[in-house]
Amino acid sequence: MLVPAAIAAVDNWKYTPFVLNGQPVSAVTVVVVRFGTPANHDAEDRAEVGFQDQFWAAMDRAQAALDASKVSEAEQALQDAHNLLSSGGPAPLHNSERWQWAMSMGGLDRQQKRFDDAEQQYTVALGLQKDNRDSLEAAASLSAIGALYYESGKFELARDSLKKAVLIYQKSHKAAAKMPRVQDAYSRAIADDLWMLSKIAVSEHQPEEAGRQCRVVLDLRKSSAENDPKVTECERLLSAPSTTAP
């Protein structure tokens, strides 16, 4: 009963995006809406803001270490984040943080070729979205699982997960028709998964299916200013005689 009231209250606020070097960038914003006497919750609110600040700082360190392939630093940062989650109150309160941690831990395991451990973490991440199976977090989890299965040669499982992810992303892509930058992000996610589906088709000697997926990749990404190697690879694949038929 109180959730709609909280949403209605926040809807009246004016939000200004965080700006870095003159450009709006993504940032974690904690909004605490309390009912009752505000003074009764001051300590809880401060604790929650402190948790969020420390948790996301640890996750930023983990991602930077992962990007640089600094395994020990990534492991330490993820352990710090896990310790914060363990002492951060009831699990449902931090569902999104637990999802992000599982995804990052899965990424570390995947980078280290610990495929069974990575699959377990990604499955946990997907399970955290059981009440919202069409969420972007669910799509990202499915994409990660699909990529993992592809790398480990489990093509049928990879195809199933990637197709589910694409369906979710396509819904969001359509809904973001009036937001070009957001829609471009969805286009990139769809193209990444379709490109992987084309790679699976090539591995299974299905050139027509590979060509079909690559045509959509080109439709989505060819006009992008980015130098996308997936576009180059799809153009090369489509130039082969076996994939030129519509």
Side-chain angles (χ1 to χ4, degrees):
M1 184 178 74
L2 296 178
V3 171
I7 294 173
V10 175
D11 275 344
N12 291 322
W13 297 357
K14 290 185 178 181
Y15 178 75
T16 301
F18 185 78
V19 174
L20 179 65
N21 296 328
Q23 295 294 325
V25 297
S26 60
V28 176
T29 301
V30 180
V31 178
V32 180
V33 179
R34 293 290 188 181
F35 294 89
T37 305
N40 295 342
H41 304 290
D42 282 351
E44 295 175 32
D45 292 349
R46 285 195 297 271
E48 177 61 18
V49 171
F51 163 82
Q52 292 288 338
D53 181 59
Q54 294 178 62
F55 175 82
W56 291 108
M59 294 303 296
D60 284 345
R61 293 198 306 274
Q63 189 58 55
L66 279 171
D67 291 342
S69 298
K70 296 180 178 178
V71 176
S72 60
E73 290 183 21
E75 288 177 336
Q76 183 58 59
L78 286 169
Q79 184 59 55
D80 292 343
H82 187 269
N83 291 341
L84 287 163
L85 280 172
S86 298
S87 60
L93 182 64
H94 297 133
N95 194 67
S96 62
E97 290 82 1
R98 293 177 189 280
W99 175 83
Q100 185 61 65
W101 186 90
M103 290 291 289
S104 296
M105 192 68 213
L108 175 61
D109 288 332
R110 178 180 165 192
Q111 190 179 90
Q112 297 302 301
K113 306 298 183 184
R114 299 191 295 254
F115 291 144
D116 289 344
D117 291 340
E119 181 180 0
Q120 183 178 2
Q121 294 296 344
Y122 289 147
T123 301
V124 168
L126 182 60
L128 289 168
Q129 302 303 314
K130 64 181 184 298
D131 295 329
N132 193 4
R133 295 190 180 276
D134 285 337
S135 67
L136 295 176
E137 290 82 0
S141 303
L142 287 164
S143 293
I145 291 170
L148 179 68
Y149 284 148
Y150 170 74
E151 288 180 16
S152 54
K154 299 176 181 178
F155 293 151
E156 189 60 37
L157 292 172
R159 185 184 296 109
D160 181 62
S161 293
L162 291 168
K163 284 184 175 180
K164 288 178 180 177
V166 167
L167 287 175
I168 298 172
Y169 283 133
Q170 285 175 332
K171 292 178 183 177
S172 297
H173 183 271
K174 183 177 181 181
K178 296 183 179 180
M179 296 178 285
R181 292 181 65 178
V182 174
Q183 194 172 54
D184 185 65
Y186 295 141
S187 294
R188 189 181 302 111
I190 295 168
D192 286 349
D193 286 350
L194 291 179
W195 175 78
M196 203 166 302
L197 286 168
S198 76
K199 299 281 284 185
I200 292 171
V202 169
S203 298
E204 295 183 333
H205 308 291
Q206 299 174 358
E208 291 185 3
E209 175 63 15
R212 188 176 71 85
Q213 303 292 2
C214 265
R215 288 185 187 91
V216 183
V217 171
L218 292 182
D219 287 343
L220 290 167
R221 302 302 300 155
K222 196 169 183 179
S223 61
S224 172
E226 296 177 9
N227 184 18
D228 192 338
K230 299 178 183 65
V231 170
T232 303
E233 188 165 340
C234 274
E235 288 175 333
R236 184 167 57 248
L237 186 147
L238 288 169
S239 68
S242 57
T243 56
T244 53

